[in-house]
């Protein structure tokens, strides 16, 4: 749904990406500040001034979220974890980790870094607000006051002890360090996260019924998001436990139907798609992998041209996004699939295609494994 992202800039080597859905949050914040908060704390200014202050508030929020996520990322890097970058989307920001924390202490330090950064920023903005003068409210002091407030809110909200919020990560780290059982620690903190999400949903409904539609909707959506995220993070942990340490080779399918780059699209459809019923075909010439062609690419060519166009013209070249080595940990493949949304990877060694790794095969394996584990208690 919300997948269009672009890179804003690079900071300390981290890519800061903005998902277009963040603009919805930015607009809502600017709008509600210009309509409600600023006219009530700094009365008597022109309408345009309130809008300017609202836009400044939205940019301040953007800055505050980046600052918060960046401190997670910096702590993570200091503790030796690889990070992909920071993505800002409709519910705020996430620091995307390539690795999971290996020990409780690392997880705790990483989690606590965000709220501390937010509280520091809140303090700094509050001092600036005092310096500019709270006795004579102006547009600038109003905006500074909001910056202090929003950072305090960011810090406090994230301290709620429900996974995957920072407070929940801290709780998980504490439980993990105490009983040395990551699964149990995740289950407990994710359950609290899910409960907090449910409470927000109910609060949202209550506020909505009382006539505060935007705030109610907002609580409701954040509650839904948290509930989902809490449930998913526990499942992901189970998946990680189940497939960690296994190689891609074990799960790949070596029986693959490949096509020659020289054949026409018409032949691809009649001799391959309608014969073997696969969705995607690796393109191979003289034993060397060239790329992959799927029904998605066929659909971009109008049928009258199928006779004239070749597979070579429409295929996607093989890149590090759609290929993986046979001895890679299958968990890496899983992470890449969930990050890129690609459900198939070509398994390649020395430019030779060995097989295909499909998300559906991994899912089948997991279903069987969980089923047997449940049976054995
Ligand atoms: Zn955080």
């Amino acid at each position: 749904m919300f997948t269009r992202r672009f890179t804003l800039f690079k900071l300390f080597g981290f890519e800061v990406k903005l998902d277009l859905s963040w603009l919805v949050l930015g607009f809502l914040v600017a709008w509600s500040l210009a309509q409600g908060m600023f006219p009530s704390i700094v009365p008597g200014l022109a309408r345009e001034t309130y809008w300017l202050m609202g836009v400044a508030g939205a940019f301040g929020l953007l800055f505050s979220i980046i600052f918060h996520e960046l401190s997670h990322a910096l702590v993570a890097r200091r503790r030796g974890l690889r990070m992909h970058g920071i993505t800002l989307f409709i519910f705020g920001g996430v620091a995307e980790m390539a690795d999971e924390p290996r020990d409780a202490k690392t997880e705790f330090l990483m989690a606590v870094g965000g709220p501390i950064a937010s509280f520091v920023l809140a303090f700094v903005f509050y001092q600036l607000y005092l310096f500019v003068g709270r006795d004579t409210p102006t547009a600038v002091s109003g905006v500074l006051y909001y910056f202090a407030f929003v950072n305090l809110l960011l810090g406090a909200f994230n301290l709620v002890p429900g996974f995957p919020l920072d407070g929940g990560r801290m709780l998980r780290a504490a439980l993990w360090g105490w009983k040395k059982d990551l699964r149990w620690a995740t289950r407990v903190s994710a359950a609290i996260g899910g409960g907090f999400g449910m409470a927000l949903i109910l609060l949202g409904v209550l506020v909505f019924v009382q006539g505060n539609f935007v705030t109610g909707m907002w609580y409701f959506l954040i509650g839904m998001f948290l509930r989902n995220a809490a449930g998913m993070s526990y499942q992901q942990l189970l998946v990680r436990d189940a497939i960690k340490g296994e190689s891609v080779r074990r799960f790949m399918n070596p029986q693959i139907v490949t096509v020659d780059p020289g054949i026409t699209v018409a032949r691809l459809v009649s001799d391959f798609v309608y014969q073997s019923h696969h969705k995607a075909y690796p393109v191979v010439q003289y034993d060397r992998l060239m790329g992959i062609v799927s029904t998605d690419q066929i659909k971009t060519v109008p049928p009258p041209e199928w006779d004239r166009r070749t597979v070579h013209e429409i295929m996607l070249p093989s890149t590090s996004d759609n290929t993986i080595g046979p001895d890679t940990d299958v968990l890496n493949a899983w992470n890449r699939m969930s990050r890129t949304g690609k459900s198939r990877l070509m398994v390649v060694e020395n430019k030779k295609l060995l097989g295909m790794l499909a998300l559906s095969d991994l899912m089948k394996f997991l279903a069987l494994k969980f089923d047997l584990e449940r049976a054995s208690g």
Side-chain angles (χ1 to χ4, degrees), residues 68-69 72 93 110-111 113-115 118 154 158 164-167:
H68 177 107
E69 298 305 334
H72 285 309
M110 250 192 78
S118 292
L154 265 179
N158 275 295
L165 293 171
D166 297 339

Side-chain angles (χ1 to χ4, degrees), residues 16-35:
V16 179
K17 282 167 284 185
L18 188 79
D19 188 289
L20 285 183
S21 65
W22 193 87
L23 299 178
V24 178
L25 174 67
F27 176 78
L28 269 174
V29 166
W31 176 75
S32 56
L33 287 176
Q35 299 295 317

Side-chain angles (χ1 to χ4, degrees), residues 124-357:
V124 169
F125 279 124
Y126 192 70
Q127 293 306 313
L128 281 174
Y129 159 73
L130 293 180
F131 181 73
V132 166
R134 67 178 147 175
D135 305 325
T136 49
T138 59
V140 174
S141 74
V143 170
L144 286 174
Y145 181 80
Y146 168 71
F147 285 174
F149 166 77
V150 82
N151 277 291
L152 196 65
L153 196 70
L154 265 179
F157 179 77
N158 275 295
L159 277 184
V160 170
F163 200 84
L165 293 171
D166 297 339
R169 286 187 174 274
M170 287 153 67
L171 175 69
R172 177 171 87 155
L175 296 175
W176 182 13
W178 176 37
K179 288 229 175 151
K180 314 287 175 225
D181 184 348
L182 180 59
R183 233 197 235 204
W184 170 76
T186 308
R187 196 165 60 224
V188 172
S189 50
I192 299 175
F196 177 61
M198 196 63 222
L200 274 180
I201 291 172
L202 293 176
L203 180 69
V205 171
L206 204 70
V207 170
F208 190 90
V209 169
Q210 285 176 341
N212 212 331
F213 301 123
V214 175
T215 312
M217 274 272 286
W218 213 230
Y219 285 158
F220 186 87
L221 287 175
I222 294 175
M224 291 278 286
F225 170 71
L226 277 180
R227 255 191 95 72
N228 256 323
M232 266 176 42
S233 32
Y234 183 56
Q235 277 169 19
Q236 270 168 9
L237 183 84
L238 292 181
V239 168
R240 267 200 295 277
D241 268 6
I243 62 177
K244 196 167 62 186
E246 304 280 0
S247 72
V248 163
R249 198 186 293 275
R250 221 198 106 177
F251 292 93
M252 72 181 190
N253 177 9
Q255 254 115 42
I256 24 174
V257 184
T258 64
V259 299
D260 188 272
I263 67 166
T264 62
V265 177
R267 253 201 76 195
L268 172 65
V269 173
S270 64
D271 293 6
F272 291 90
V273 180
Y274 288 155
Q275 298 295 324
S276 57
H277 315 296
H278 294 158
K279 192 179 174 321
Y281 300 86
V283 182
V284 173
Q285 190 174 37
Y286 308 124
D287 254 8
R288 266 185 61 161
L289 177 69
M290 318 269 297
I292 189 163
V293 67
S294 79
T295 46
D296 290 337
Q297 281 83 49
I298 299 175
K299 278 186 276 181
T300 63
V301 182
E305 290 176 28
W306 284 4
D307 268 334
R308 295 194 297 276
R309 306 280 295 274
T310 63
V311 163
H312 188 258
E313 290 170 54
I314 64 166
M315 71 175 192
L316 297 176
S318 53
T319 62
S320 58
D321 252 4
N322 56 24
T323 55
I324 196 152
D327 298 316
T328 315
D329 196 316
V330 77
L331 187 58
N332 286 347
W334 173 275
N335 288 339
R336 191 184 309 172
M337 284 172 171
S338 29
R339 201 169 64 242
T340 60
K342 287 189 168 49
S343 56
R344 272 184 201 81
L345 294 172
M346 296 183 283
V347 184
V348 179
E349 196 173 40
N350 300 326
K351 304 218 162 145
K352 263 194 78 170
L353 182 69
L354 300 182
M356 291 280 265
L357 181 71

